[in-house]
Amino acid sequence: MKQLFFLLLVLLVGSEATAQYATATIRGQVRAAGQPLEQVTVAMVGTAEGCTTNAQGRYELRNVPAGPAEIVFSFVGYQPVRRRVTVAAAQTLVLDATLVATPAALEEVVVTGVSRATELRRSPVPVAALNRRDINLNANGNVIDAAVRGVPGLSAVTTGPNISKPFIRGLGYNRVLTMYNGLRQEGQQWGDEHGIEVDQYDIERIEVVKGPASLIYGSDAVAGVVNLLPRRPDDGPEGQLHGDALTEYQTNNNLLGASVGLRYHRAGWHYGGRASYRLAQNYRNPVDGRVYGTAFRELNATATAGVDKTWGSSDWSATLYDNHQEIPDGSRDSLSRRFTRQVLDGGDDIRNRPLVPTAELSTYRLNPLYQRIQHYRLLTRNRFRLGTGELHALLGVQQNRRREYNHPTLPEQPGLSVQLTTYNYDLRYAAPTLLGVEATAGLNGMAQRNRNQDATDFPIPDYNLFDIGGYLHLKKTFGRLDLAGGLRYDTRHLTWNDFYVGPNPATGFEQQVPAAPGREPQFAAFGRWYRGVSASVGGTYALNERYVLRANVARGYRAPNITEVGSNGLDPGAHIVYLGNRTFNPEFSLQQDLGLAARLPWADLSVDAFHNRITGYIYQARLTDANGQPVELVPGNATYQYQQSGARLYGAEFTANLHPTSLPGFLLNNSLAYVVGLNQNNALRATEGNAAKYLPFIPPLHARFEARYTMPRPLGPLHATYVRATVDINAAQNRFYAVDNTETRTAGYTLLGLGAGTTLRAGQREVAQLFVQVDNVFNMAYQSHLNRLKYFEYYTASPNGRSGIYNQGRNVSVKVVVPF
């Protein structure tokens, strides 16, 4: 730890000795229809420089290198504006822009999955972006839900409203890399019972790479990347403390949310902070009523500081996440279907559990069986100008502690308690352009230390991991053709010592014990190196000003995670005993992407098709004995053992965002996503037939339609007033992994949503933003195929003919944002 902070200090202090460079400042205001436009992205093409406009539409780019520059103003729903300027040293250039309301999201600038800031339409791999307003438009249980509603091809495995794991084109868990401000999110990703440990009220922008990104990020990005970008504190008027306050209420689970953020910047220094709190009762639906075990309480805090000078910039942040989340198990009375609760440890009989009192289903007080997840993060991002090149350095340390309290007779005794400490590093050098070639070289990786704490269940051992990888990425433009590609090599070392478990005479449960003669370890010592080569080559070709064709071929790499290799115990929250396999080799994917994007005067259109073949695909399968009967190593808990074979996935996404020129302010956004996942385990398919034909966790065909009308002119003090309607269509999923009833068919369903909102202004000052959303208007009873609660069922038959737990019913959300 001391060495890490010493290195961080060297990076910051040493940068002051870097040679001074001639720089300038560009500032101005962005308007649309005569009104200031907030949250417009202002970016300098080919660099990492950028900012967003404040509530008055103003922006400021500081420390712009003297010389020619190209500035892009972009915002979803508006035609981007490009300006080429030349600035002199120490000059302050005023550069205003006016945007026209014709959606052209294809020219947004993105930073995820690319070596340098790149226009979205010039990325050979499909990338989608959502800004803060997109996130606020919808009622979200968590930030991943917000992304799922806005990005076709992105789905989530859920365990209630506050727990969502992102899946991209049918692949998830450690195949999707989730990042916070460029730092890879490292928690217990193998678990189903917790979500992404970030403050959703602090996220300014979400960028999603739909395809292999192992070239830039290494292992765990074979399916893509979800990058959650927080709001920068250097917007708003200089020398004035400003910020925003947010409050939210949702009717379905009586969710209460509040958040306050502060920002300040002066003379190149900026500071910010945010504190957020959310709490909710059990959610409800028309079949189950209130679903016992889904209430939660969540606290978040963030502090940031940074400096922008002629030598570059340095940003520092610290975050705290503390979530108390109940653990549902789905146990019920067999006749009334009312939920029951566990009150005993030994001798617990599901059929004789007492009913949950009605009063306990509608309370903010959490039940004794819950999990607590704490995540702490320190992060520094640094950028140093070296002539016309740039050196980027990211260093971070994060600690994730997860405890599951699942003993009703000993409520203070956690059943699971693991603590994961991760040190991340990422160095990247963007070389000066030479002969039209943009070259970027990088080195990144991490070191991890996982330790079990005072617990009674030990699904994984104490382990140490070290990971490092280096890459070279090249890009060159030939007129209308942009070509990009690169090569990467990764190596990872995973090791642990003998880990012994034995009885605790004081509690009667298991505990970690020292080695003793004749005692067999639960986890025998292990050590192995994993290595892999990733590569990517692709390009975009502008057929003309309106049509862009893109294609990419990429080889992705993923080392097996700890649970796939080393697990040998009960995960109490999942009620599953997991068994790993020490012989696993890394996964490798070969994916081809082909897409076409069109920007027309009246529409933005895009279609993307992909084909992905994975060797060494790792998945879970129910363990059976010689007679084909399910094995229960721990009574009442299923046993799954990880398997490795081949897999093939293919599919497509289509979007058509219409904005008729004859109807100003009217938008009709349409999207369609389809993916098929095929199991290539020929031996299993030979014995199980069609039951083993498909992969698990594959979302069904999904279509989303949104009609939105925004008043083109203010209604007195009300600006940007809108009304909207959404229709989500999910087809039946008949292609599922049916071996041992791991998955079952899921019926199709259609959900209607309605919304409205406005911005209240007093002159040029924004007073408040109001968002109202009604989801599942008709209170439909439905089950998502990726909802884990669908399979929480203890009986083979049900008196009402419905099995498992259903998704959330009708929900009305009201959100108010007050800037100050």
Side-chain angles (χ1 to χ4, degrees), residues 66-103:
E70 184 177 6
I71 311 299
V72 176
F73 303 85
S74 62
F75 186 62
V76 174
Y78 292 84
Q79 176 73 34
V81 171
R82 307 171 66 90
R83 295 285 182 82
R84 297 181 183 273
V85 296
T86 300
V87 293
Q91 178 187 8
T92 297
L93 176 66
V94 177
L95 185 64
D96 297 332
T98 299
L99 302 189
V100 179
T102 52

Side-chain angles (χ1 to χ4, degrees), residues 696-707:
F697 297 121
I698 300 298
L701 173 70
H702 176 232
R704 181 175 173 87
F705 307 97
E706 179 196 15

Side-chain angles (χ1 to χ4, degrees), residues 460-478:
I460 59 173
D462 296 346
Y463 70 88
N464 294 300
L465 180 150
F466 180 76
D467 181 277
I468 188 170
Y471 66 91
L472 176 66
H473 184 272
L474 303 175
K475 179 181 178 182
K476 182 174 175 58
T477 299
F478 301 88

